[in-house]
Amino acid sequence: MANLPLTEATIDNKAADTRDSVITGFKPAREQRLQNTAKRTDSWSLDLVAIGERRDREAFARFFRHFAPMIKGYFLTHQGMMMSSTQADELVQEVMLKVWTKAKKYNPEKAAASTWLFTMARNTRIDMLRRQSRHNTVVLETEDIWATEEEESPVAQLQQQREQSLIKDAIVDLPPEQVQIVQIIYMEGKTHTVAAEELNLPLGTVKSRLRLALAKMKIQITQSADEADFLT
Amino acid sequence: MIKYHPNINTLTEYAAGSLDTAASLTVSAHMHFCHQCRKHLQDLQLIGGTILDRNILVADVDSSVLDSLMQRLDDMENQPEPPPKQTTHGSNSDSGLAGLPPVITKLIGTRNQLKWKKLTKSLQIAQLATGQTEAEVSLHKIAAGGKVLEHDHRGQEYTLVLKGSFSDENGIYQPGDFLLKQPGDVHRPYAAANRDCICLTVVEAPVRFTGFWGKLLNPFLRLHPA
């Protein structure tokens, strides 16, 4: 999977080192989640607020110890990065510096701490890929294309929280073949086309698996002009 | 009212950061117009956060990393705050381009050095430099009432209407409407009669005009990723 030891941080540790078992790794985390996620998410949001408002180093260290291993795993999972542990540590630092400088813009009413952090990590990954491939000066910053600010129009906080817990509940119950696609697109940073090639599946199958997964997470699908392409 | 959106697979790739830069630019500009897709994006990012938080794959981070990070924070705090960056957008002199998504305004630049190249009587194209090599990014301007030669698409083509409107056999497209054409799709767009139509276009392989006159034109059309 990567050139470094990645550890399965699940309660049930019988998973072997194949993609399939990595994917079933979603499941065991559930018991843990049932016990403490509601509280935990809240406390990470509070830490972010403390970092933003009071430059709280203790909160920052706590936040780092909890999330840095996940972010490092995120970078090491990415396709084609083939990076060393030291390079991944560098990127972890880059993400955490963003956390430190941008935390004052974090609004706990609009996003869970992990969602906000995900956008920071994602943009850092995009930054790095763009640094590697650009051939001359670049007009646009990554943030110009992938904004990390949340939607401004007020979504009722209660509704937002309900949707968040709905998605979180649904994701652990997805069948493995759907989790696999979600995993490849989000963690490995691959497109449907690449996923289809790798899995030796028709593109339409890959696309519909993702759609089924999203439907289970109650994400309403906007009708678009090119719906037909999902059958190709 | 926006009627044509990126499909959910494209939106997901964008949210996950796996969609290439040029296509992402189009999706991002669509977001400027579309509340509904901004909401979808939130949900799709929430999935990203949830996966990150599920700790499927974690890698040990040595405590020295935190130490050196704390050192960097010290260094940062001992330095004076850098002056806030000058925001350059919004000062575009060409009033015809006012109200565009900020990302497009920024791409065009303050000096508005768009070089419109006349391709046919009704179609002008201005290349945009985006610092990537996967696709050609440009603005297309169809003159009021003008028709574009029938053409098909050898690669994927993303189109976002920025100003005015155009139609083809399948519908009428207004500002904010997003179209994705697949290789082999043939269409013949024409602009509304009363005003020019400006679109952001990302082509992952060059467009090919079909028909006799179109075939004559093709040698002049090359892909210029920039």
Side-chain angles (χ1 to χ4, degrees):
Chain A
M1 192 122 229
N3 52 350
L4 267 171
L6 293 167
T7 43
E8 303 266 338
T10 52
I11 298 166
D12 179 349
N13 222 353
K14 61 181 175 261
D17 200 20
T18 65
R19 172 174 279 166
D20 278 348
S21 49
V22 164
I23 284 151
T24 54
F26 269 140
K27 288 269 182 190
R30 185 172 197 186
E31 286 71 43
Q32 196 180 22
R33 177 185 56 78
L34 287 176
Q35 283 162 19
N36 52 20
T37 295
K39 208 164 104 198
R40 197 179 66 185
T41 305
D42 191 48
S43 81
W44 298 123
S45 304
L46 291 178
D47 275 346
L48 275 182
V49 171
I51 296 165
E53 286 177 0
R54 300 189 296 279
R55 316 267 77 194
D56 185 333
R57 295 263 184 132
E58 251 175 62
F60 183 69
R62 225 175 8 247
F63 195 85
F64 181 96
R65 287 195 196 95
H66 180 74
F67 285 110
M70 299 176 196
I71 298 170
K72 189 170 177 181
Y74 173 74
F75 287 123
L76 291 174
T77 312
H78 188 257
Q79 59 149 348
M81 270 209 181
M82 307 309 278
M83 57 174 55
S84 68
S85 177
T86 319
Q87 286 169 312
D89 284 342
E90 275 297 315
L91 291 176
V92 168
Q93 285 206 23
E94 212 176 294
V95 174
M96 286 298 174
L97 275 178
K98 282 185 192 163
V99 168
W100 180 257
T101 49
K102 287 173 184 274
K104 47 185 168 300
K105 289 185 181 165
Y106 170 72
N107 182 345
E109 288 176 16
K110 286 183 179 159
S114 58
T115 303
W116 186 81
L117 181 65
F118 168 74
T119 63
M120 298 289 142
R122 176 199 64 194
N123 282 19
T124 305
R125 188 170 81 183
I126 295 169
D127 269 341
M128 204 219 51
L129 292 170
R130 292 182 78 205
R131 276 201 299 270
Q132 284 175 351
S133 68
R134 69 182 45 164
H135 50 97
N136 50 23
T137 52
V138 162
V139 195
L140 297 177
E141 310 278 340
T142 297
E143 300 258 311
D144 291 326
I145 306 177
W146 286 269
T148 51
E149 309 284 311
E150 289 295 327
E151 165 82 314
E152 282 142 42
S153 67
V155 183
Q157 192 187 342
L158 200 65
Q159 184 201 339
Q160 178 85 356
Q161 279 173 353
R162 213 179 297 128
E163 286 171 10
Q164 285 183 3
S165 71
L166 206 119
I167 288 175
K168 286 186 173 188
D169 284 349
I171 205 167
V172 290
D173 288 330
L174 292 178
E177 76 274 8
Q178 288 171 23
V179 172
Q180 184 180 42
I181 304 299
V182 173
Q183 164 85 4
I184 292 175
I185 290 176
Y186 278 90
M187 295 294 281
E188 298 180 26
K190 290 170 182 158
T191 60
H192 293 79
T193 309
V194 175
E197 280 163 14
E198 279 191 10
L199 299 170
N200 204 13
L201 287 170
L203 181 57
T205 307
V206 171
K207 287 186 173 179
S208 57
R209 279 184 189 173
L210 180 88
R211 286 171 182 238
L212 288 170
L214 296 178
K216 289 211 178 86
M217 293 183 262
K218 299 284 183 286
I219 293 182
Q220 298 299 316
I221 294 168
T222 312
Q223 290 298 312
S224 59
D226 53 75
E227 286 303 303
D229 85 307
F230 128 77
L231 301 169
T232 56
Chain B
M1 183 67 197
I2 293 162
K3 281 199 300 203
Y4 300 91
H5 307 267
N7 71 37
I8 198 76
N9 296 95
T10 305
L11 267 187
T12 306
E13 288 181 356
Y14 170 77
S18 59
L19 189 67
D20 66 65
T21 307
S24 295
L25 172 67
T26 324
V27 175
S28 167
H30 171 79
M31 296 284 171
H32 172 80
F33 296 95
C34 184
H35 169 80
Q36 199 180 1
C37 286
R38 288 201 297 270
K39 174 73 182 67
H40 283 326
L41 179 65
Q42 272 188 316
D43 287 344
L44 293 169
Q45 292 182 159
L46 173 59
I47 293 174
T50 307
I51 294 172
L52 199 66
D53 203 24
R54 283 279 75 84
N55 328 343
I56 313 165
L57 290 169
V58 295
D60 285 338
V61 178
D62 196 90
S63 61
S64 65
V65 179
L66 179 57
D67 296 341
S68 77
L69 187 57
M70 287 298 191
Q71 185 61 50
R72 283 169 79 174
L73 297 189
D74 286 339
D75 297 345
M76 264 168 46
E77 305 218 319
N78 291 334
Q79 271 172 13
E81 289 259 321
K85 273 190 204 162
Q86 291 284 322
T87 44
T88 45
H89 46 71
S91 56
N92 204 293
S93 54
D94 185 346
S95 59
L97 294 175
L100 293 182
V103 66
I104 302 300
T105 319
K106 190 168 175 188
L107 203 50
I108 293 169
T110 41
R111 283 167 297 154
N112 195 10
Q113 65 275 63
L114 284 178
K115 288 193 196 108
W116 289 103
K117 216 160 64 185
K118 201 159 189 164
L119 221 57
T120 69
K121 205 175 105 212
S122 7
L123 176 67
Q124 294 183 71
I125 295 184
Q127 306 287 340
L128 296 172
T130 54
Q132 47 79 42
T133 52
E134 308 118 356
E136 182 178 275
V137 181
S138 57
L139 294 181
H140 284 204
K141 191 197 280 180
I142 314 175
K147 287 189 170 114
V148 176
L149 288 172
E150 181 180 87
H151 61 277
D152 68 13
H153 304 85
R154 267 182 279 180
Q156 295 206 103
E157 183 192 280
Y158 298 85
T159 303
L160 182 77
V161 182
L162 297 171
K163 290 272 173 185
S165 68
F166 81 87
S167 319
D168 66 11
E169 306 85 298
N170 305 312
I172 302 172
Y173 312 102
Q174 315 263 9
D177 277 336
F178 178 100
L179 277 100
L180 173 56
K181 292 285 175 195
Q182 299 294 340
D185 289 350
V186 177
H187 74 148
R188 186 176 189 183
Y190 53 94
N194 56 346
R195 65 181 296 194
D196 293 353
C197 175
I198 299 177
C199 298
L200 171 70
T201 305
V202 167
V203 191
E204 302 197 318
V207 174
R208 185 173 53 183
F209 286 110
T210 50
F212 176 72
W213 291 106
K215 285 202 175 93
L216 281 181
L217 258 176
N218 276 324
F220 302 105
L221 275 175
R222 294 221 180 82
L223 187 67
H224 298 287

